[in-house]
Amino acid sequence: MYEQTGRYYAFFGPHATITPVEEKFLAHWSNGKHHALDFGAGLCGSALLLARFGMEVFAFEPSPLIAALAMDRLNREGDLARSITLLEGPTEALGESFEADFILMRSVFMLLNSDQREAALEAVFRH
């Protein structure tokens, strides 16, 4: 689905924010965690929030188009954004030696077909 809608993510830019309710939710569930994997990171709004919580964040975006927009957004932010590791590529290739104690997979899951969902779940399980 990204192939059809991805270019429109640029309209959100820095305004793709996390709501106060989402922030409270993420703060609660990430409390005491140190290493986060944000799978399907999109424009890295969640990754930025998790980094602000003091976590080491590995943001994975399977869409090259969205990853380019995310990199642009991160480059416009401060030092905190540059502390996020952003990787893009096919889900099956996600094999970094990164072990997360907090995994976030937000709306990307609904954009995937059954085979892609299975690959995504296998990828996050490895980490």
Short mmCIF file of all heavy atoms in Angstrom, two decimals, residues 22-45:
data_model
loop_
_atom_site.label_atom_id
_atom_site.label_comp_id
_atom_site.label_asym_id
_atom_site.label_seq_id
_atom_site.Cartn_x
_atom_site.Cartn_y
_atom_site.Cartn_z
N GLU A 22 -1.45 8.79 23.19
CA GLU A 22 -0.43 7.85 22.71
C GLU A 22 0.86 7.99 23.51
O GLU A 22 1.51 7.00 23.85
CB GLU A 22 -0.15 8.09 21.23
CG GLU A 22 -1.26 7.70 20.31
CD GLU A 22 -1.00 8.12 18.88
OE1 GLU A 22 -0.78 9.33 18.64
OE2 GLU A 22 -0.99 7.24 18.01
N GLU A 23 1.23 9.22 23.81
CA GLU A 23 2.45 9.45 24.59
C GLU A 23 2.34 8.81 25.96
O GLU A 23 3.27 8.15 26.43
CB GLU A 23 2.73 10.94 24.72
CG GLU A 23 4.01 11.23 25.45
CD GLU A 23 4.39 12.70 25.43
OE1 GLU A 23 3.85 13.47 24.62
OE2 GLU A 23 5.24 13.07 26.26
N LYS A 24 1.21 8.96 26.61
CA LYS A 24 1.00 8.35 27.92
C LYS A 24 1.06 6.82 27.82
O LYS A 24 1.67 6.16 28.66
CB LYS A 24 -0.36 8.80 28.47
CG LYS A 24 -0.63 8.32 29.87
CD LYS A 24 -1.95 8.89 30.38
CE LYS A 24 -2.24 8.36 31.77
NZ LYS A 24 -3.53 8.85 32.28
N PHE A 25 0.44 6.26 26.78
CA PHE A 25 0.46 4.82 26.55
C PHE A 25 1.89 4.32 26.38
O PHE A 25 2.31 3.35 27.02
CB PHE A 25 -0.39 4.50 25.31
CG PHE A 25 -0.39 3.06 24.92
CD1 PHE A 25 -1.30 2.18 25.47
CD2 PHE A 25 0.52 2.58 23.98
CE1 PHE A 25 -1.31 0.84 25.10
CE2 PHE A 25 0.52 1.24 23.61
CZ PHE A 25 -0.40 0.37 24.17
N LEU A 26 2.65 4.99 25.50
CA LEU A 26 4.03 4.57 25.25
C LEU A 26 4.91 4.76 26.48
O LEU A 26 5.79 3.94 26.74
CB LEU A 26 4.60 5.32 24.04
CG LEU A 26 3.97 4.95 22.70
CD1 LEU A 26 4.47 5.88 21.60
CD2 LEU A 26 4.24 3.50 22.35
N ALA A 27 4.70 5.82 27.21
CA ALA A 27 5.48 6.05 28.44
C ALA A 27 5.24 4.92 29.44
O ALA A 27 6.17 4.42 30.07
CB ALA A 27 5.12 7.40 29.05
N HIS A 28 3.98 4.52 29.57
CA HIS A 28 3.63 3.44 30.51
C HIS A 28 4.30 2.12 30.11
O HIS A 28 4.94 1.47 30.92
CB HIS A 28 2.11 3.27 30.58
CG HIS A 28 1.69 2.09 31.40
ND1 HIS A 28 1.68 2.12 32.78
CD2 HIS A 28 1.31 0.84 31.04
CE1 HIS A 28 1.29 0.95 33.23
NE2 HIS A 28 1.06 0.15 32.20
N TRP A 29 4.15 1.72 28.84
CA TRP A 29 4.62 0.40 28.42
C TRP A 29 6.11 0.34 28.17
O TRP A 29 6.70 -0.74 28.19
CB TRP A 29 3.84 -0.07 27.19
CG TRP A 29 2.44 -0.43 27.56
CD1 TRP A 29 1.31 0.30 27.30
CD2 TRP A 29 2.01 -1.55 28.32
NE1 TRP A 29 0.21 -0.32 27.85
CE2 TRP A 29 0.62 -1.46 28.48
CE3 TRP A 29 2.67 -2.64 28.90
CZ2 TRP A 29 -0.13 -2.41 29.17
CZ3 TRP A 29 1.93 -3.59 29.58
CH2 TRP A 29 0.56 -3.46 29.71
N SER A 30 6.76 1.48 27.97
CA SER A 30 8.21 1.46 27.76
C SER A 30 8.99 1.76 29.04
O SER A 30 10.22 1.72 29.03
CB SER A 30 8.60 2.46 26.67
OG SER A 30 8.35 3.79 27.09
N ASN A 31 8.28 2.05 30.12
CA ASN A 31 8.92 2.37 31.39
C ASN A 31 9.88 1.24 31.80
O ASN A 31 9.51 0.08 31.85
CB ASN A 31 7.87 2.59 32.47
CG ASN A 31 8.49 3.07 33.76
OD1 ASN A 31 9.49 3.76 33.76
ND2 ASN A 31 7.88 2.70 34.88
N GLY A 32 11.11 1.61 32.08
CA GLY A 32 12.11 0.64 32.50
C GLY A 32 12.79 -0.10 31.35
O GLY A 32 13.67 -0.92 31.59
N LYS A 33 12.40 0.20 30.14
CA LYS A 33 13.01 -0.45 28.96
C LYS A 33 14.17 0.42 28.47
O LYS A 33 14.24 1.61 28.73
CB LYS A 33 11.98 -0.64 27.84
CG LYS A 33 10.71 -1.33 28.28
CD LYS A 33 10.96 -2.73 28.73
CE LYS A 33 9.62 -3.41 29.00
NZ LYS A 33 9.70 -4.53 29.87
N HIS A 34 15.07 -0.21 27.72
CA HIS A 34 16.28 0.50 27.29
C HIS A 34 16.51 0.51 25.79
O HIS A 34 17.13 1.43 25.27
CB HIS A 34 17.51 -0.09 27.98
CG HIS A 34 17.39 -0.10 29.47
ND1 HIS A 34 17.52 1.03 30.23
CD2 HIS A 34 17.12 -1.11 30.33
CE1 HIS A 34 17.34 0.73 31.51
NE2 HIS A 34 17.10 -0.57 31.59
N HIS A 35 16.04 -0.53 25.09
CA HIS A 35 16.31 -0.69 23.66
C HIS A 35 15.00 -0.93 22.93
O HIS A 35 14.33 -1.93 23.16
CB HIS A 35 17.26 -1.87 23.42
CG HIS A 35 18.50 -1.81 24.23
ND1 HIS A 35 19.55 -0.98 23.92
CD2 HIS A 35 18.85 -2.45 25.37
CE1 HIS A 35 20.50 -1.13 24.82
NE2 HIS A 35 20.09 -2.02 25.72
N ALA A 36 14.67 -0.02 22.02
CA ALA A 36 13.40 -0.11 21.30
C ALA A 36 13.62 -0.40 19.83
O ALA A 36 14.54 0.12 19.21
CB ALA A 36 12.62 1.20 21.44
N LEU A 37 12.73 -1.24 19.28
CA LEU A 37 12.64 -1.45 17.85
C LEU A 37 11.30 -0.88 17.41
O LEU A 37 10.25 -1.34 17.86
CB LEU A 37 12.72 -2.94 17.50
CG LEU A 37 12.38 -3.32 16.06
CD1 LEU A 37 13.33 -2.62 15.08
CD2 LEU A 37 12.42 -4.82 15.88
N ASP A 38 11.35 0.13 16.59
CA ASP A 38 10.14 0.73 16.02
C ASP A 38 10.03 0.18 14.61
O ASP A 38 10.66 0.68 13.68
CB ASP A 38 10.23 2.25 16.03
CG ASP A 38 8.95 2.92 15.55
OD1 ASP A 38 7.99 2.22 15.22
OD2 ASP A 38 8.94 4.16 15.50
N PHE A 39 9.22 -0.86 14.44
CA PHE A 39 9.09 -1.52 13.15
C PHE A 39 8.00 -0.81 12.34
O PHE A 39 6.88 -0.68 12.78
CB PHE A 39 8.72 -3.00 13.33
CG PHE A 39 8.67 -3.75 12.04
CD1 PHE A 39 9.79 -4.43 11.59
CD2 PHE A 39 7.53 -3.75 11.27
CE1 PHE A 39 9.76 -5.10 10.38
CE2 PHE A 39 7.48 -4.43 10.07
CZ PHE A 39 8.60 -5.11 9.62
N GLY A 40 8.36 -0.38 11.14
CA GLY A 40 7.43 0.42 10.35
C GLY A 40 7.41 1.83 10.90
O GLY A 40 6.37 2.40 11.19
N ALA A 41 8.58 2.41 11.05
CA ALA A 41 8.77 3.66 11.77
C ALA A 41 8.10 4.87 11.12
O ALA A 41 7.94 5.90 11.77
CB ALA A 41 10.26 3.94 11.96
N GLY A 42 7.74 4.76 9.86
CA GLY A 42 7.10 5.89 9.20
C GLY A 42 7.99 7.12 9.24
O GLY A 42 9.17 7.05 8.90
N LEU A 43 7.45 8.23 9.69
CA LEU A 43 8.21 9.48 9.77
C LEU A 43 8.95 9.63 11.08
O LEU A 43 9.47 10.70 11.41
CB LEU A 43 7.28 10.67 9.54
CG LEU A 43 6.62 10.73 8.17
CD1 LEU A 43 5.67 11.91 8.08
CD2 LEU A 43 7.64 10.76 7.07
N CYS A 44 9.04 8.57 11.86
CA CYS A 44 9.84 8.49 13.09
C CYS A 44 9.29 9.31 14.25
O CYS A 44 10.04 9.62 15.19
CB CYS A 44 11.30 8.82 12.83
SG CYS A 44 12.15 7.55 11.87
N GLY A 45 8.03 9.65 14.24
CA GLY A 45 7.44 10.35 15.37
C GLY A 45 7.54 9.54 16.66
O GLY A 45 7.95 10.06 17.71
#
